């Protein structure tokens, strides 16, 4: 097939023959946009293959051939059209007369000229209908006597038979709908008339949207039929051509199978790495991956190491099979104690530093000494020295005795236990009192206890030979995150699988030939991934991680200065002249002295939105 303009190919296309494969013979490029304009393809290179799957009528432009004016017709236009000329044309009037007299139809006959004619002081435009009545001699010249209707009057014209056209005969035909005219190839580009339109003659110019498949395109390509490009139909010789369709891992996740799926990486997103794992460096263009499906369970726990100057951060899968033992939690302020308190679950702590109570603020505020044992009862309200209500933590002092003696004494003093009120900004230091020696799985631990939680890994995950969590003195389990992951393995190392989060590592892949084998038994999955600091703080900014309010600011009472000075001598940090930005709240009163533990907790919460 010879190359034809795309518009001509579409108008002559039979939708029943789709799909058709086209080769671009002359490319087109719109400056200023590489890919598309208003959702339509605007760049096609010479040699590109296009598999046309569907053609849709977008709009129909109606053009006045005399004035070149245009109007757009709706696709459901209800008017009827009649052709004003036929495909058969005649170069001279003599040819038209000869053809008419030799046919079964005789004169008179109607015709139109495709060019303007000036004769006998009259102008005949190309859209005006003439009636040829007879052939006569006029001024010694054989002429065609024609009748022209002008403003309701008939004008007789004598046109010589040598008058050049082309001319087209007009024959009455059955009126047709807009769709019928567009579907008839014989009426292509013919002059039509429609009683419901203001113009006597018009030409219909339809515009189509071509939906096609192209190499290396993830979605259906939309091409306007008005694109100035020549194409050639190569369907017969392109039966073996396979159009490669890239996929994002997020698309693989959304379609949910079939699995396992063999793929090849086409593109890796250019961004900072999220994991410190050796397999991350293998994710390069051309690397083959096998995707086994959705990871189960879908939740993970964000964990940080304890006992080192620079903490390390991990994302631990819900499928982690290591054993964990709870460790006593540390609480730098009363506010942290309130965050860990759960109604119905006893929370007992021991004070690890001496701290004088703020009796100037409220006589009920109690001093604590190292070794004092408290049981947290819950939040409460107390009136400050300036008459304002302030939040407090209500506790009950416990005896120093243990075992049965403690139980007996508790029973004796049950009627009048000593109540302890601690302001939420109270800068004491506490450690949880516990005697839980059970070994928990990660699933059991997160189901029975709230996070954050302090643990020690006492038995590594047998499916993870290099489980790094066993090397730490303690771990802080911080947040539970629910996010779908895909279980993936490298084609070069099928024996070890890892989990990829498409939300944060959305690779572009293409399906590869061949169906991978499902390995026997359960899949060996890396259940622990170390995180980069950047990605760790990015996870901490997720909505699920921002459920805790910042700690309260301490009061600016003058009566606290003595107690603050005492705290400073015991290792507190005096902060003077600190003016936080408007985003961090009002400036700190330079007269107020913070305890080091409370100050660090306060700054931790204030600066949290700016991390990462």
């Amino acid at each position: 097939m010879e190359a034809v303009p795309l518009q001509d190919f579409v108008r002559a296309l039979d939708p029943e023959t789709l799909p058709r494969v086209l080769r671009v013979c002359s490319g087109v490029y719109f400056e200023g946009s590489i890919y598309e304009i208003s959702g339509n393809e605007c760049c096609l290179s010479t040699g590109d293959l296009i598999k046309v799957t569907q053609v849709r009528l977008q709009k129909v432009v109606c053009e006045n051939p005399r004035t070149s004016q245009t109007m757009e017709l709706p696709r459901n236009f209800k008017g009827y059209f009649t052709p004003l000329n036929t495909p058969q044309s005649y170069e001279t009037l003599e040819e038209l007369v000869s053809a008419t007299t030799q046919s079964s139809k005789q004169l008179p006959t109607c015709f139109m000229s495709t060019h303007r004619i000036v004769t006998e002081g009259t102008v005949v435009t190309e859209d005006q209908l003439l009636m040829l009545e007879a052939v006569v001699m006029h001024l010694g010249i054989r002429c065609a006597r024609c009748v022209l209707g002008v403003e309701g009057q008939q004008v007789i014209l004598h046109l010589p038979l040598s008058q050049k056209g082309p001319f087209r005969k007009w024959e009455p035909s059955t009126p047709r709908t807009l769709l019928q005219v567009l579907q008839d190839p014989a009426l292509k580009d013919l002059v039509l008339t429609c009683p419901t339109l203001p113009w006597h003659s018009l030409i219909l110019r339809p515009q189509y949207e071509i939906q096609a498949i192209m190499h290396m395109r993830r979605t259906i390509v939309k091409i306007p039929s008005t694109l100035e490009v020549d194409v050639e139909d190569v369907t017969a010789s392109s039966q073996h051509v396979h159009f490669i369709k890239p996929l994002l891992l997020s698309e693989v996740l959304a379609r949910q199978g079939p699995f396992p799926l063999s793929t090849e990486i086409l593109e890796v997103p250019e961004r900072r790495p999220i994991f410190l794992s050796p397999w991350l460096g293998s994710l390069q263009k051309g690397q083959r991956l096998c995707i086994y499906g959705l990871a189960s369970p879908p939740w993970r726990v964000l964990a940080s190491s304890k006992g080192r100057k620079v903490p390390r951060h991990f994302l631990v899968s819900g499928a982690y099979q290591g054993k964990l033992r709870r460790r006593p939690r540390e609480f730098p302020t009363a506010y942290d104690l309130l965050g860990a308190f759960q109604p119905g679950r006893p929370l007992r702590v021991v004070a690890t530093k001496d701290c004088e109570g703020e009796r100037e603020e409220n006589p009920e505020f109690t001093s604590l000494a190292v070794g004092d044992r408290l049981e947290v009862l819950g939040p409460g309200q107390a009136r400050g020295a300036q008459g304002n209500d302030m939040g407090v933590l209500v506790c009950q002092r416990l005896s120093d005795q243990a075992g049965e003696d403690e139980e007996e004494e508790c029973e004796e003093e049950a009627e009048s236990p000593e109540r302890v009120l601690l302001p939420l900004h109270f800068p004491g230091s506490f450690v949880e009192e516990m005697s839980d020696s059970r070994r928990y799985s990660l699933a059991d631990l997160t189901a029975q206890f709230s996070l954050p939680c302090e643990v020690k890994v006492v038995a590594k995950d047998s499916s993870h030979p290099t489980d790094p969590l066993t090397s730490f003195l303690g771990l802080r389990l911080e947040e539970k995150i629910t996010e779908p992951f895909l279980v993936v393995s490298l084609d070069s190392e099928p024996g070890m699988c890892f989990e990829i989060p498409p939300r944060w590592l959305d690779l572009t892949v293409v399906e590869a030939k061949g169906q991978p084998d499902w390995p026997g038994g359960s899949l060996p999955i890396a259940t622990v991934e170390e995180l980069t600091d950047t990605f760790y703080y990015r996870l901490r900014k997720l909505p699920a991680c921002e459920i805790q309010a910042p700690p309260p600011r301490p009061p600016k009472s003058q009566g606290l200065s003595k107690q603050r000075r005492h705290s400073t001598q015991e290792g507190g940090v005096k902060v003077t002249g600190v003016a936080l930005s408007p985003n961090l709240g009002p400036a700190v009163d330079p007269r107020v002295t913070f305890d080091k533990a409370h100050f660090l907790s306060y700054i931790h919460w204030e600066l949290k939105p700016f991390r990462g």
Side-chain angles (χ1 to χ4, degrees), residues 21 59-60 90 113 178 194 202 301 413 457 462 563:
V21 179
K59 62 181 179 179
V60 178
Y90 306 91
S113 173
L178 176 62
C194 179
L202 53 93
V301 173
E413 300 180 358
V457 178
S462 58
Q563 188 267 337

Side-chain angles (χ1 to χ4, degrees), residues 172-192:
S173 61
T174 304
R176 307 188 188 190
T177 65
L178 176 62
L179 187 59
Q180 288 173 336
V181 172
L182 298 179
Q183 291 177 341
D184 190 346
L187 300 180
K188 174 187 173 183
D189 294 333
L190 291 186
V191 178
L192 308 171

